[in-house]
């Protein structure tokens, strides 16, 4: 027992001694201070790299330690960063640690120190920090050179949205330095007199070639230099999207993805991101040469499951995505090929195609799409090798587009691409009768029927319509029928029928056959009965029509309509309505505002005879009148006037004329009875009168003041408003007395005008009665017969048939000088003698009465004779010798005249003058003694006979039996009749 106690005591003493020893040893080694601290720099990454060791560690012993690092800037007291670094330290191990600075290292001097503490579970608490190591100074400015100004960092690469700090270092503190980011000045924080730092938050991406930053140093107004840098801002590297792999032949996997934004930068600062494909089961890795797809070769082993990791990487970061799949579930087939159509007819076709072969017993699921006539139909079919499908219920004469795609039927992944082909079905006979309607116009003895039909839709035409057959059958004479073939695309024809009943059948025909017939019956009885027209109002949705049902059996109703103002053939439409419907809405895009449309509603009997039930007319939208009436002012008095516009048409207006507004202005500015005050659009005031009857086109404006000025303006109005604005017409009322003067003066003026008109109409009679025209000698026909060479100035006058009297030859004494017109010779009065007369009067043997004739001097023919004032006449006795008869021909006249001239002797010029002797003249003679005692009335003579002017140089003897001529007047040569 004592031995055991001794042994126990000895064991505890030994253990206590051992623990005391270990405590002393550790107490001597702890704390373990870091030594051999070295600091290096990396300007590209702007980082400090630290390395150190820990001495006095037990041999081959590992301890967990914590190192605390302090970093100061510019001065050791300016600590900018403190952090801990935990790691396991081995004996004689060199430790490494890096710190990245926000401020470029060239901008300021940095100081680093470190201390440590054991953080190992093998040592009990408390643990103590070691002492700080000495400060290690890091300065890069010494290697920058001797320039005055520097800007840092150089060519830094950052991602978009990163915060960046830049700085400038100025050697001369007297300089004023300004810095600019893309031309915009920036402001920073001064770290010391030589250094200023700028914090750029969330820098944007501007261009691939970087962002320009520069600083300019100046002293006063003198520039000391400029320095700049390029900050390369990269787009943020995105994680690949839609990463997928699939196979189409079990030989190659085709992997695709969406790379997102390209992070490449210019100046080769950073290329596009690279992509690496890694398969974890096989451990294989492949660098992809394309940025959005990569192929992976499938080995011949039995691997069916794949686990791919796609990694995107650039200079700044990495992004990865992962995908795990079974190969048989990612089959993407190639397109089907050899698509064809067989046994194509009007309604059916067989579609065939082929697919690329895969593994044995591979089943394909194929989908067919059929497009035609705006419709799409889908069909699914499973096949092994080649595909075939029967297409039915197709439309005739229709072009279709059919396409097919296939996929794995066992494990559907996705459809292949489409493969397709077009085909057209054959034509068939039209399947529906054309919609037919008519207009019947009654004419004397016949019907004029205008047939209309609507073209068949493509669905019912079943091909191209070539022509329309119109068969007209006389129901009263069934054996008589006519066929009219109308080429397409005509949609109407006109028929002239007698007053019998007719059945008309219309069919549409294509290359295959005819459609069912559309039948319409024209009755022999007149169908256009008098139906009162009703006005209706349209809306934006069209016209809502309703009617009373027709008594008796009907098979339906027809509503037709057209433009009220245009030809029926140009805008005629109709609509069929069922027999149990008595209302409908006519809606079409063809309805235009301001256009009037006429509607007619017919009932169709079981015999297909149409009966007019109702007429309606209206506008889809009424507009204000397009023009104003032309107003006439009638019955203008001092107290009233009448306005009328009878010629104004209300049918052609863009709305129903409901009446007229009459606007009246006056200086008094007081409205007359029936008028009310109104304000015009220009703000002026006037008086307004409303006429509610559109057919009332006259108005008497009364209670006016005489000699007053008024203005009026008339405009129609519809439910949409008034007509266009226009100028006022001015009217002035007359004086009260002016009307009385008008009543007196008008009859007087009328009488005067009537007398003037009557005088004008009777002017010819008055002229012939009061002052007849003197014969014109130039119009005598004898001028063409006398051809005297001795006297080219001979003039003969043509007169009416009358017995002439005589030619008076007046001999003037030479004592008196007379100036002749023709020769201008002077004669004295003493040379004048008594006149000699040449008697050329006709004589008759049985003449028993006295033969005197009265002559007068015609001043027109002889001015000299008129000056003498004498006219002689020699009476002729019945017994005197006379001519055998009156010469009736111009040749006899000329002959007698020549004979007489030859018998004359020479007479001095100027001694003889000729005077015209008229049978109708009163006896006026210069020698009164020669007048007969008992003058005899000359025979009646109604008109003048021929007369001739003969030269004064010819002496005229008394008449003889051989001379008988109409009156002859002798003129001086060169003297003409005027």
């Amino acid at each position: 027992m004592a031995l055991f106690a001794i042994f126990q005591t000895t064991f505890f003493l030994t253990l206590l001694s051992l623990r005391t020893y270990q405590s002393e040893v550790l107490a001597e080694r702890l704390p373990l201070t870091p030594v051999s601290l070295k600091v290096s720099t990396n300007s590209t990454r702007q980082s400090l790299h630290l390395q150190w060791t820990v001495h006095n560690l037990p041999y081959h012993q590992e301890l967990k330690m914590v190192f605390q690092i302090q970093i100061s800037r510019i001065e050791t007291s300016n600590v900018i960063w403190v952090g801990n670094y935990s790691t396991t330290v081995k004996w004689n191990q060199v430790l490494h640690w890096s710190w990245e600075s926000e401020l470029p290292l060239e901008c300021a001097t940095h100081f680093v120190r470190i201390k440590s503490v054991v953080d190992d579970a093998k040592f009990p608490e408390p643990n103590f920090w070691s002492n700080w190591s000495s400060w290690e100074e890091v300065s890069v400015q010494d290697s920058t050179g001797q320039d005055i100004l520097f800007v840092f960092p150089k060519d830094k690469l950052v991602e978009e949205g990163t915060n960046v700090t830049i700085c400038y270092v100025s050697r001369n503190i007297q300089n004023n330095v300004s810095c600019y980011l893309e031309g915009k000045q920036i402001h920073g924080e001064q770290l010391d007199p030589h250094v200023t730092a700028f914090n750029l938050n969330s820098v944007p991406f501007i261009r691939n070639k970087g962002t320009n930053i520069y600083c300019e140093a100046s002293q006063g107004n003198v520039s000391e230099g400029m320095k700049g840098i390029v900050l390369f801002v990269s787009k943020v590297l995105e994680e690949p999207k839609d990463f997928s792999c699939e196979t189409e032949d079990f030989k190659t996997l085709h992997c695709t993805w969406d790379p997102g934004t390209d992070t490449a930068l210019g100046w080769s600062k950073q290329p596009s991101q690279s992509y690496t494909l890694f398969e974890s089961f096989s451990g294989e890795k492949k660098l992809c040469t394309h940025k959005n797809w990569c192929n992976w070769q499938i080995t011949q082993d039995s691997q069916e499951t794949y686990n791919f990791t796609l990694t995107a990487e650039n200079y700044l970061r990495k992004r990865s995505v992962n995908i795990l799949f079974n190969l048989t579930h990612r089959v993407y087939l190639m397109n089907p090929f050899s698509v064809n159509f067989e046994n194509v007819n009007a309604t059916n076709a067989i579609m065939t195609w082929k697919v690329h072969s895969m593994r044995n017993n591979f089943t394909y699921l194929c989908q067919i799409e059929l497009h035609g006539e705006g419709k799409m139909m889908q069909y699914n079919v499973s096949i092994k090798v080649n595909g075939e499908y029967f297409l039915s219920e197709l439309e005739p004469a229709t072009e279709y587009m059919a396409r097919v795609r296939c996929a794995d039927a066992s494990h559907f992944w996705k459809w292949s691409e489409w493969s397709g082909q077009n085909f057209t079905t054959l034509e068939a006979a039209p399947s529906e009768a054309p919609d037919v309607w008519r207009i019947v116009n009654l004419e004397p003895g016949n019907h004029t029927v205008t047939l209309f039909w609507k073209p068949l839709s493509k669905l019912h035409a079943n091909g191209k319509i070539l022509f329309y057959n119109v068969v007209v059958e006389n129901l009263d004479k069934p054996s008589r029928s006519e066929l009219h073939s109308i080429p397409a695309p005509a949609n109407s024809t006109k028929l002239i029928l007698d007053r019998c009943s007719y059945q008309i059948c219309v069919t549409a025909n294509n290359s295959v056959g005819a459609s069912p017939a559309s039948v319409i019956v024209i009755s022999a009885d007149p169908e256009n009965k008098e139906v009162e027209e009703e006005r209706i109002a349209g809306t934006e949705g069209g016209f809502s029509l309703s009617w009373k049902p027709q008594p008796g059996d009907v098979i339906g109703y027809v509503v037709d309509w057209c433009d009220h103002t245009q030809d029926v053939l140009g805008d005629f439409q109709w609509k069929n309505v069922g027999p149990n419907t008595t209302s409908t809405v006519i809606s079409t895009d063809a309805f235009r505002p301001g256009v009037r449309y006429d509607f007619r509603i017919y009932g169709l009997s079981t015999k297909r005879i149409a009966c007019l039930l109702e007429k309606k007319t209206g506008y889809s939208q009424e507009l204000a009148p397009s023009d104003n009436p032309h107003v006439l002012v009638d019955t203008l008095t001092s107290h009233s006037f009448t306005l009328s516009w009878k010629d104004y048409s209300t049918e052609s207006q863009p709305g129903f004329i409901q009446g007229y507004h009459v606007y009246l202005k006056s200086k008094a500015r007081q409205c007359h009875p029936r008028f009310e005050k109104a304000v015009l659009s220009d703000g002026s005031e006037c008086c307004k009168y409303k006429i509610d009857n559109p057919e009332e086109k006259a108005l008497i404006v009364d209670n006016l003041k005489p000699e007053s000025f008024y203005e009026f303006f008339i405009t129609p109005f519809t439910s949409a408003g008034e007509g266009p604005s226009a100028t006022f017409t001015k009217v002035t009322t007359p004086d009260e007395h002016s009307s009385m003067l008008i009543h007196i003066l008008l009859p007087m003026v009328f009488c005067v005008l009537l007398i003037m008109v009557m005088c004008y109409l009777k002017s010819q009679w008055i002229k012939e009665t009061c002052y007849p025209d003197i014969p014109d000698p130039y119009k005598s026909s004898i001028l063409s017969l006398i051809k005297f060479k001795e006297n080219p100035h001979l003039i003969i006058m043509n007169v009416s048939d009358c017995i002439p009297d005589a030619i008076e030859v007046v001999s003037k004494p030479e004592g008196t000088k007379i100036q002749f017109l023709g020769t201008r010779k002077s004669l004295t009065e003493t040379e004048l003698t008594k006149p000699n007369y040449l008697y050329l009067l006709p004589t008759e043997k049985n003449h028993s009465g006295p033969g005197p004739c009265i002559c007068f001097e015609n001043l027109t023919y002889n001015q000299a004779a008129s000056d003498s004032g004498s006219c002689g006449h020699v009476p002729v006795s019945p017994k005197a010798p006379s001519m055998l008869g009156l010469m009736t021909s111009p040749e006899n006249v000329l002959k007698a005249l020549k004979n007489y001239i030859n018998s004359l002797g020479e007479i001095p010029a100027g001694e003889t003058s000729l005077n015209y002797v008229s049978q109708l003249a009163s006896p006026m003679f210069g020698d009164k003694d020669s007048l007969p005692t008992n003058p005899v009335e000359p025979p009646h003579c109604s008109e003048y006979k021929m007369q001739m002017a003969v030269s004064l140089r010819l002496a005229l003897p008394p008449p003889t039996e051989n001379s008988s001529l109409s009156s002859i007047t002798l003129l001086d040569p060169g003297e003409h009749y005027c």
Side-chain angles (χ1 to χ4, degrees), residues 696-718:
E696 183 179 341
K697 300 180 181 180
L699 176 66
I700 299 176
V701 183
D702 50 10
N703 297 323
L704 306 179
K705 295 181 179 180
E707 297 184 275
S708 298
F709 178 76
Y710 295 92
E711 293 179 278
F712 69 88
F713 167 59
I714 297 178
T715 180
F717 64 90
T718 65

Side-chain angles (χ1 to χ4, degrees), residues 57-69:
L57 279 177
Y59 183 71
H60 296 306
Q61 188 175 6
E62 295 182 357
L63 292 177
K64 291 182 178 181
M65 299 184 64
V66 177
F67 298 92
Q68 188 176 77
I69 304 170

Side-chain angles (χ1 to χ4, degrees), residues 314-353:
N314 64 7
Y315 287 168
L316 299 175
R317 69 170 66 220
K318 292 181 180 181
R319 292 289 181 90
S320 298
V321 291
N322 182 265
I323 186 174
L324 176 66
F325 61 91
N326 188 299
L327 180 62
T328 59
H329 298 176
R330 295 296 181 98
V331 179
Y332 175 62
L333 298 179
M334 289 185 284
N335 303 348
F337 62 97
S338 298
V339 178
N340 291 307
F341 299 93
E342 301 174 356
N343 301 331
V344 179
N345 56 33
T347 57
N348 302 316
I350 297 176
M351 179 180 180
T352 62
W353 68 95

Side-chain angles (χ1 to χ4, degrees), residues 183-286:
K184 183 177 181 180
Q185 187 174 2
I186 55 177
H187 302 280
E189 177 185 0
Q190 188 175 18
L191 301 181
D192 65 22
H194 298 277
V195 180
T196 299
F198 301 88
N199 294 320
L200 306 179
N201 297 323
S202 187
V203 292
F205 172 84
I206 297 179
R207 66 180 70 89
N208 285 335
K209 294 184 178 180
T211 301
N212 297 321
I213 302 173
Y214 67 92
C215 296
E216 182 179 9
S218 62
Q219 189 169 358
N221 295 326
V222 180
S223 176
E224 296 291 336
M226 180 185 297
K227 290 290 183 177
I229 62 172
V230 176
L231 180 64
F232 290 93
V233 180
S234 168
K235 289 287 188 179
V236 178
L237 179 63
E238 299 178 10
E239 183 180 279
K241 302 180 184 65
D242 302 328
F243 179 42
S244 175
C245 295
E246 59 195 15
T247 182
E248 60 183 14
D249 55 5
F250 290 99
K251 296 178 181 179
T252 303
L253 273 171
H254 181 67
C255 299
T256 59
W257 60 88
D258 179 8
T261 305
D262 191 358
T263 61
L265 296 176
W267 309 113
S268 300
K269 185 63 179 178
Q270 175 177 267
S272 297
Q273 60 268 31
S274 62
Y275 293 90
T276 302
L277 198 60
F278 174 73
E279 204 283 309
S280 60
F281 293 117
S282 62
E284 295 181 6
K285 185 177 183 181
K286 181 178 181 180

Side-chain angles (χ1 to χ4, degrees), residues 557-597:
Y557 298 93
V558 177
V559 179
D560 66 25
W561 67 92
C562 64
D563 188 339
H564 180 77
T565 59
Q566 293 185 356
D567 185 9
V568 157
L569 297 180
D571 194 23
F572 184 72
Q573 296 291 331
W574 69 94
K575 180 180 180 180
N576 295 303
V577 183
N580 299 323
T581 303
T582 57
S583 64
T584 186
V585 175
I586 306 299
S587 178
T588 174
D589 295 335
F591 288 147
R592 295 166 295 170
V595 178
R596 182 176 172 180
Y597 295 93

